[in-house]
Amino acid sequence: MKVSEVADLVGISVRTLHYYDQIGLLTPAYTDLTGYRVYSDQDLEKLQQILFFKQLDFPLKKIKEIMNDPDYDQNEALEMQRNLLLEKRNRLDQVIKTINKSIRYRKGEVTMSKKEKFVGFDFSKNPYKAEARKRWGDSTVDQTNEKLERMNAQDKKAFQDQFNDIYRKLAEIRHIDPASEMAQKEIKKWYDYLNKIGNYPPTVFKGLGQMYVEDERFTKNIDQFGEGLAEFMCAAMEEFADRNK
Amino acid sequence: MKVSEVADLVGISVRTLHYYDQIGLLTPAYTDLTGYRVYSDQDLEKLQQILFFKQLDFPLKKIKEIMNDPDYDQNEALEMQRNLLLEKRNRLDQVIKTINKSIRYRKGEVTMSKKEKFVGFDFSKNPYKAEARKRWGDSTVDQTNEKLERMNAQDKKAFQDQFNDIYRKLAEIRHIDPASEMAQKEIKKWYDYLNKIGNYPPTVFKGLGQMYVEDERFTKNIDQFGEGLAEFMCAAMEEFADRNK
DNA sequence: ATAAGCTATAACGCAACGTTAGAGTCAAGA
DNA sequence: TCTTGACTCTAACGTTGCGTTATAGCTTAT
């Protein structure tokens, strides 16, 4: 298929296809001798994937990165995208609720607090930041916290002390090579700690590490122990996961 | 309220508020003597409106234009936004259906045509292009066409001849002043023609005119009678509406 | 009074295309 | 066969909606 055929089929512009080719996101199957782009059915499949991601406001760079990952599995991706889309619809429902209430508010039928008027918008929580959480299942730090809350006071304290110890030590050595034995030994403690509470196989552990630097909320929290700690941990965790997979 | 208070409340950045001020989309109630922006509760209401529009992918320019219109009615706007949001949710549901089917397709459970794989995306139909259609109710040219189809052949031909006459004449004079008596006389014929078929009060008539230049599909069709005709008609229709409201 | 945290303007940066501009290609009809 | 209109290419600049420094004034607490 030629450019405009594809463009018409999926409802995007020719320029968009040119651009995707240019940035290496979607290279046509081949170009004929006159330089015309020719797309295969496989290319269409890939394009469909891309558009799903776009619906979820993933930046093109991220999309490329994700789809180039040797571990990329289309079935897994489809499942993930479905979840994210459902999440997106929930947010949309929130916005619709807000607007419904706003209409009634204008009629004087109900009251609305300032906060309420903006429920559902939530521009800060880009769906793609929740990606890691979804992609790596539900084993997030948040869950860890939940579990901690269900423990008794004594155990809780013990765990929190451990937590602090681990972080403080990591903060101390945060300027050395993350792949060094020293760093790996300490990061293993973090790995073991997590696995006392939940189930974190190496791949999940690695994904968690990436979240530390990609989600500012985590970065901030972690960097309270020392600036750059999140980045250091991310690198160390990646190395650890690669060694132990 | 100061900038960051507003920003925190609604979940947008300070820079965004600065920018909205800069382009005159949302000017704070006043600035104190040191130059600090101070937002009122009314400003918050307006900001809410803006964010609703943004959810619908209206460009900021459009939002500004719409909200600056002296005819702008917040209640009407809220109703419209609600409709558009519902529409958006329907499209999202379509995408979700498509992805569900894609998952089953990958498992070999069902077949999918090429077109089917892209149902719901439809980037060409930006919601804001449907704006006019929604805003001015359901009295669109499309409806006109529908009505025409339900007429018998004779009447139909008579109407189409009339239609052609009107357009040809308008095309002939399309370089004169749209506000001139000549132009206004001819555009009145178009107005009367439409009102024989449907119900087009002046405001609707005006909106229709704008659609001629904003929706390329209309522009193309109309300009077949002569390049620039759509623009000419739009101007004439606006003038006509202003005189007859 | 000095630091920490807020505010301001100004200016550059950036993604994801849209929009010309200039030139080659292809399909169909006169 | 020639031409004409529709399609294609690359190249390059323009646009939107901010993010991101950088520099400087303000405000509040210690």
Side-chain angles (χ1 to χ4, degrees):
Chain A
M1 295 179 76
K2 288 197 276 185
V3 266
S4 64
E5 291 174 305
V6 176
D8 288 347
L9 177 66
V10 315
I12 60 178
S13 72
V14 171
R15 165 72 227 218
T16 298
L17 288 170
H18 281 172
Y19 182 65
Y20 288 177
D21 187 7
Q22 183 185 323
I23 64 172
L25 177 58
L26 182 67
T27 317
Y30 66 98
T31 54
D32 69 14
L33 1 96
T34 64
Y36 284 21
R37 272 164 263 250
V38 180
Y39 292 85
S40 69
D41 283 10
Q42 275 199 19
D43 293 334
L44 284 185
E45 293 261 318
K46 190 168 178 185
L47 181 53
Q48 190 208 29
Q49 288 278 312
I50 292 172
L51 294 186
F52 279 133
F53 279 118
K54 260 198 61 181
Q55 272 275 334
L56 296 163
D57 299 319
F58 281 57
L60 298 185
K61 236 187 201 173
K62 261 278 164 194
I63 299 180
K64 190 181 167 187
E65 194 183 313
I66 292 172
M67 297 185 67
N68 280 348
D69 187 339
D71 293 351
Y72 179 72
D73 173 27
Q74 200 177 339
N75 293 333
E76 185 199 350
L78 281 169
E79 294 282 354
M80 184 186 94
Q81 288 163 341
R82 201 179 68 108
N83 288 336
L84 292 177
L85 283 170
L86 291 174
E87 213 180 76
K88 186 173 182 179
R89 194 178 55 176
N90 285 341
R91 275 207 308 280
L92 227 177
D93 282 340
Q94 283 286 348
V95 175
I96 292 174
K97 266 188 202 167
T98 299
I99 204 170
N100 280 336
K101 190 155 188 189
S102 292
I103 289 172
R104 300 213 295 148
Y105 170 73
R106 298 263 315 167
K107 289 182 187 162
E109 292 175 15
V110 291
T111 58
M112 270 184 108
S113 72
K114 281 181 190 173
K115 261 181 234 160
E116 252 184 303
K117 288 179 187 167
F118 297 94
V119 171
F121 290 113
D122 217 353
F123 292 101
S124 52
K125 248 189 215 162
N126 282 33
Y128 90 91
K129 285 193 179 165
E131 174 219 359
R133 263 183 293 287
K134 288 293 168 188
R135 153 122 210 212
W136 315 111
D138 282 322
S139 42
T140 67
V141 164
D142 289 335
Q143 254 212 349
T144 303
N145 281 333
E146 271 173 43
K147 277 213 176 169
L148 275 176
E149 269 168 31
R150 267 178 280 136
M151 291 166 73
N152 68 48
Q154 224 178 16
D155 288 355
K156 206 168 154 181
K157 178 139 193 343
F159 263 100
Q160 283 181 341
D161 284 349
Q162 260 190 61
F163 176 92
N164 283 327
D165 284 349
I166 296 172
Y167 268 68
R168 264 198 291 272
K169 228 170 206 163
L170 283 168
E172 272 175 36
I173 61 170
R174 72 183 185 275
H175 296 302
I176 70 171
D177 178 14
S180 67
E181 289 316 307
M182 177 77 162
Q184 288 298 305
K185 202 182 109 195
E186 292 305 320
I187 209 69
K188 183 178 185 316
K189 286 185 189 166
W190 177 230
Y191 177 74
D192 291 339
Y193 173 83
L194 282 177
N195 277 290
K196 251 184 245 171
I197 306 173
N199 177 33
Y200 295 81
T203 50
V204 174
F205 191 60
K206 179 174 167 183
L208 196 61
Q210 278 185 237
M211 217 164 73
Y212 289 174
V213 298
E214 286 179 6
D215 191 318
E216 49 192 33
R217 289 168 300 179
F218 285 97
T219 316
K220 266 189 191 170
N221 261 315
I222 294 168
D223 278 10
Q224 283 178 353
F225 286 85
E227 210 176 304
L229 178 56
E231 208 169 341
F232 171 74
M233 285 183 72
C234 173
M237 288 164 84
E238 183 170 359
E239 175 65 24
F240 182 85
D242 287 345
R243 286 194 199 178
N244 295 82
K245 74 179 169 190
Chain B
M1 296 181 75
K2 287 197 275 186
V3 267
S4 64
E5 292 174 307
V6 177
D8 288 347
L9 178 65
V10 314
I12 60 178
S13 72
V14 170
R15 165 73 228 219
T16 299
L17 287 170
H18 281 171
Y19 183 64
Y20 289 176
D21 186 8
Q22 182 185 324
I23 64 173
L25 177 58
L26 181 67
T27 316
Y30 67 97
T31 56
D32 69 14
L33 0 98
T34 63
Y36 284 21
R37 273 163 262 251
V38 179
Y39 292 85
S40 69
D41 283 11
Q42 275 198 22
D43 293 335
L44 284 184
E45 294 261 318
K46 191 169 177 185
L47 181 53
Q48 189 208 29
Q49 288 277 311
I50 292 171
L51 294 186
F52 279 133
F53 278 118
K54 260 198 61 182
Q55 270 277 331
L56 296 162
D57 299 318
F58 281 58
L60 298 186
K61 236 187 199 173
K62 262 277 164 195
I63 299 179
K64 188 181 168 186
E65 195 183 312
I66 292 172
M67 296 185 65
N68 281 347
D69 189 338
D71 294 351
Y72 179 71
D73 174 28
Q74 199 179 338
N75 294 332
E76 186 198 349
L78 280 169
E79 293 283 355
M80 184 184 95
Q81 288 164 340
R82 200 178 69 106
N83 287 337
L84 292 177
L85 282 170
L86 291 173
E87 213 180 76
K88 187 172 181 180
R89 192 177 56 178
N90 284 341
R91 275 207 309 279
L92 225 177
D93 282 340
Q94 283 285 349
V95 175
I96 291 173
K97 266 189 201 166
T98 300
I99 204 170
N100 280 336
K101 191 156 188 189
S102 293
I103 289 172
R104 302 212 296 147
Y105 170 73
R106 297 263 314 168
K107 290 182 188 163
E109 293 175 12
V110 292
T111 59
M112 268 183 109
S113 71
K114 281 181 191 173
K115 260 181 233 161
E116 250 182 303
K117 288 179 189 168
F118 298 94
V119 170
F121 291 112
D122 216 351
F123 293 101
S124 53
K125 249 189 213 161
N126 282 34
Y128 91 93
K129 283 195 178 163
E131 172 218 2
R133 264 183 294 288
K134 287 292 168 189
R135 149 122 210 210
W136 316 111
D138 283 322
S139 42
T140 67
V141 163
D142 290 334
Q143 254 214 349
T144 305
N145 280 334
E146 272 174 40
K147 276 214 174 167
L148 275 176
E149 269 167 31
R150 267 175 281 136
M151 291 167 71
N152 67 49
Q154 226 179 15
D155 288 356
K156 204 166 151 181
K157 177 140 195 342
F159 264 100
Q160 284 182 340
D161 284 349
Q162 259 190 61
F163 176 91
N164 282 328
D165 285 349
I166 295 172
Y167 267 69
R168 264 199 290 272
K169 227 167 207 167
L170 283 168
E172 273 176 37
I173 62 170
R174 71 181 185 277
H175 296 302
I176 71 172
D177 178 13
S180 68
E181 289 317 307
M182 179 76 160
Q184 287 298 306
K185 202 179 109 194
E186 292 306 320
I187 209 69
K188 183 179 186 314
K189 286 184 188 167
W190 178 230
Y191 177 76
D192 291 340
Y193 174 82
L194 281 178
N195 277 290
K196 252 183 241 170
I197 304 173
N199 177 34
Y200 295 79
T203 51
V204 174
F205 191 60
K206 179 175 167 183
L208 196 61
Q210 277 185 237
M211 216 164 72
Y212 289 174
V213 299
E214 287 179 4
D215 190 319
E216 51 194 29
R217 289 169 300 180
F218 284 98
T219 317
K220 265 189 189 169
N221 260 316
I222 293 169
D223 279 9
Q224 283 178 352
F225 286 85
E227 210 177 305
L229 178 56
E231 205 168 342
F232 171 74
M233 284 183 71
C234 173
M237 287 165 83
E238 181 169 1
E239 175 66 24
F240 182 85
D242 287 345
R243 287 194 197 177
N244 294 80
K245 73 179 170 188

